[in-house]
Amino acid sequence: MSRSERLLDLLQVLRRHRRPVSGGVLADEIGVSIRTLYRDIASLQAQGAAIEGEPGVGYVLKPGFLLPPLMFPPEEIEALVLGSRWVADRGDDHLRDAARNALARIAAVLPPELRDALEASALLVGPGVKLPVDSVDPALLRKAIRTERKLSLSYSDGSGVASERVVWPFALAFFDQVRLLLGWCELRQDFRSFRTDRMVHAQVLDARYPKRRQTLLKQWREIQGISHRDV
């Protein structure tokens, strides 16, 4: 086990304990000597981990601490690289730039051996089918979803029939050839999906929709028979 992986394991063990836990217990759980455990605690504290305590008293990780990117094991780094490359290739301009910036931020704080692995990753994204051009900026749709705001939508279906909708948007689904906005349609009084390339105009309204986004997503999953692991 590399030192980075050992420090990650130590953080994970600390996250499981809500009350102070002795150094001896921590050392046994991750399989190191007490001296190594004290050194690892000091290293994590020096890197910004909010670990409180001292030898003979016990240690606790303050709630809300997030694992820094440098603590990702190699497999997670590869997953992030592959995902970022897919988004950069298949997302809109804003997501593409965000994916590239996020990857650069991660690379900047990785230890040298993991940074080399990231830059030399052999996980590539092949060219996909060119997506239809959207008239509506996908960033506006994502804003409506994040803020749980109603969306006024001018839409043209597959037959070219135009309609005006007010939608409660709760998710965007990305497929190889299309992107779909998932939402509750006030006109149809039911869940509907809308192809983003068939949207003529969209406006985020000031009104919040009456249900939480996660509640709508859960209801939609149940109706579709889709488990949380599938989507």
Side-chain angles (χ1 to χ4, degrees), residues 3 6-15 17 20-27 30 32-56 58-62 65 71:
R3 182 171 182 272
R6 190 177 73 241
L7 293 179
L8 174 61
D9 284 349
L10 176 54
L11 279 174
Q12 298 288 27
V13 170
L14 283 166
R15 286 168 69 93
H17 293 277
V21 57
S22 71
V25 171
L26 292 173
I30 62 175
V32 298
S33 68
I34 191 67
R35 180 175 297 180
T36 298
L37 183 281
Y38 290 151
R39 286 201 301 264
D40 288 349
I41 290 285
S43 294
L44 289 173
Q45 289 172 329
Q47 294 169 13
I51 300 173
E52 296 181 345
E54 59 186 44
Y59 298 92
V60 64
L61 182 66
K62 293 182 64 176
F65 177 74
M71 300 311 301

Side-chain angles (χ1 to χ4, degrees), residues 2 5 13 20 24 29 35 41 54 61 69 73 76 121 129 132 134 171 173 198 203 212 215:
S2 70
E5 290 175 314
V13 170
E29 288 199 39
R35 180 175 297 180
I41 290 285
E54 59 186 44
L61 182 66
E76 292 181 1
S121 175
V129 178
D134 292 333
R198 293 177 180 168
Q203 179 183 359
R212 298 307 304 269
T215 299

Side-chain angles (χ1 to χ4, degrees), residues 123-142:
L123 304 183
L124 306 177
V125 175
V129 178
K130 185 174 179 60
L131 289 169
V133 177
D134 292 333
S135 298
V136 173
D137 187 352
L140 182 142
L141 304 179
R142 293 196 297 273

Side-chain angles (χ1 to χ4, degrees), residues 7-8 14 47 60 64 66 68 73 80 86 93 100 106 112 143 152 158 167 170 179 184 187 195 197 209 217 221 227:
L7 293 179
L8 174 61
L14 283 166
Q47 294 169 13
V60 64
L66 301 177
L80 288 170
W86 189 94
D93 291 346
R100 291 173 176 170
I106 291 172
K143 177 182 178 181
S152 175
V167 177
F170 59 84
R179 288 186 284 256
W184 174 267
L187 177 65
R195 284 180 51 155
D197 59 304
Y209 44 77
L217 181 57
R221 282 193 179 116
S227 70

